[in-house]
Amino acid sequence: KYTAAVHQSWNRIKKVDDVFEKKLLQSLGEGLLSFLTSLDPSGKRIIVKTPSVENLQNFYDLFPDCVLLILVRDGRAVVESGMKGFGWNFEKATRSWVHAARSILEFDRVTKNTGHRYLIVRYEDLVTDLEKEMRRVLNFLGLDQASYDFQAAVHLPVKGSSLFRGTKDHVHWQPLEKKSEFKPLDRWEHWSPFRLGRFNWIAGQYLSSFGYQKRTGKESPSGIWNRVLDLIWEGRQRLSRLLFRVRIFF
């Protein structure tokens, strides 16, 4: 939006070419990279991470020469972690995961034949076979596998877990020794057939797209009941938007 507004503003004074916005976006990205590298003048590689794929489609407009790793996780585990750790609503969290999954798949579709370097990594593959998956990542990045300490990676402490919190009753970022109680792949195993069915109805196709297996039960909600729940969700969203506009108006 910013680059489009600048483009429009400059055009009123002097006609600028069609690549104006692209150049401006890239320059903003170069400025951000320059700032980050200035924080550590040692010459080490800079790794920047974010928990969201919001605006993923703009990545290479900002950072055309950077390498991108996209980490995905089973949506059921994401939703359960969010509900237990941050009080998320099941319906909203499920739809948020779908939105993120759709963004990644669309990015992959548009970007796969452009020559840009990116890799999609599944969280579960890192947990179940860390060495194999990390070798794949290091190979993709062109980094020396021999200098990577795989054993140290296996024994890294847990930070920020929504369920594995030690003696604290809230999510925190203090390192905790990884123990047998830490089971990040089992988060949603206690879900009822109804909840599993509801998740499959909303997000099932995206589970399959990333290689996750759907699970169903005898008490899964029917198609009619799922449509009723969809209508209730849509009605609440419309009411929420209406109330927001009323508050803005007054």
Side-chain angles (χ1 to χ4, degrees):
K1 290 179 180 179
Y2 171 76
T3 55
V6 174
H7 188 186
Q8 185 179 26
S9 178
W10 281 39
N11 254 336
R12 294 194 189 103
I13 303 170
K14 180 181 178 180
K15 193 71 174 177
V16 292
D17 58 37
D18 294 335
V19 297
F20 177 93
E21 288 185 47
K22 182 178 180 179
K23 289 179 179 178
L24 180 54
L25 265 176
Q26 188 172 332
S27 295
L28 291 172
E30 289 171 354
L32 288 168
L33 292 175
S34 176
F35 167 73
L36 290 170
T37 53
S38 71
L39 298 177
D40 185 356
S42 66
K44 294 180 180 179
R45 294 179 182 271
I46 300 295
I47 301 176
V48 181
K49 62 181 180 178
T50 172
S52 171
V53 293
E54 195 71 25
N55 296 312
L56 176 62
Q57 72 278 5
N58 297 326
F59 183 86
Y60 287 113
D61 291 329
L62 286 160
F63 314 111
D65 299 320
C66 287
V67 181
L68 175 65
L69 294 175
I70 303 173
L71 183 65
V72 299
R73 188 177 182 184
D74 188 321
R76 293 161 293 197
V78 174
V79 170
E80 179 64 19
S81 292
M83 290 193 298
K84 286 289 180 63
F86 306 100
W88 292 357
N89 169 271
F90 170 81
E91 193 85 6
K92 183 176 181 180
T94 300
R95 293 175 185 276
S96 294
W97 185 82
V98 166
H99 175 73
R102 189 185 296 123
S103 297
I104 294 171
L105 293 172
E106 177 61 16
F107 174 86
D108 184 42
R109 184 189 68 80
V110 172
T111 313
K112 65 172 58 177
N113 296 319
T114 62
H116 289 302
R117 297 180 60 214
Y118 68 96
L119 183 69
I120 298 176
V121 180
R122 296 200 323 172
Y123 174 85
E124 291 75 14
D125 295 332
L126 287 169
V127 173
T128 57
D129 197 341
L130 184 141
E131 182 169 342
K132 179 182 177 181
E133 191 63 9
M134 277 306 303
R135 287 190 183 279
R136 186 173 80 97
V137 171
L138 293 170
N139 181 63
F140 166 75
L141 296 174
L143 298 177
D144 180 19
Q145 299 180 25
S147 63
Y148 187 83
D149 191 338
F150 293 98
Q151 282 303 307
V154 169
H155 295 99
L156 279 172
V158 179
K159 296 181 180 180
S161 174
S162 60
L163 298 182
F164 188 71
R165 308 172 184 173
T167 58
K168 298 185 181 297
D169 60 358
H170 60 276
V171 177
H172 61 87
W173 296 96
Q174 297 175 3
L176 295 172
E177 181 184 355
K178 194 181 298 179
K179 297 182 178 180
S180 58
E181 307 96 86
F182 179 64
K183 298 179 179 179
L185 305 188
D186 299 340
R187 295 284 164 85
W188 53 275
E189 291 293 331
H190 65 283
W191 278 13
S192 67
F194 185 92
R195 175 160 286 182
L196 285 169
R198 181 60 181 156
F199 187 91
N200 290 340
W201 174 269
I202 300 171
Q205 71 177 94
Y206 298 99
L207 279 179
S208 302
S209 295
F210 291 113
Y212 299 113
Q213 298 297 317
K214 291 190 289 185
R215 187 181 300 177
T216 57
K218 294 182 179 180
E219 300 176 14
S220 296
S222 65
I224 294 176
W225 184 229
N226 271 309
R227 291 186 182 92
V228 170
L229 293 175
D230 287 345
L231 289 172
I232 293 173
W233 167 259
E234 292 168 7
R236 287 176 175 173
Q237 292 302 105
R238 290 177 182 175
L239 178 60
S240 178
R241 288 193 292 269
L242 176 62
L243 292 175
F244 177 78
R245 289 170 184 167
V246 170
R247 287 198 298 269
I248 292 297
F249 179 79
F250 288 103

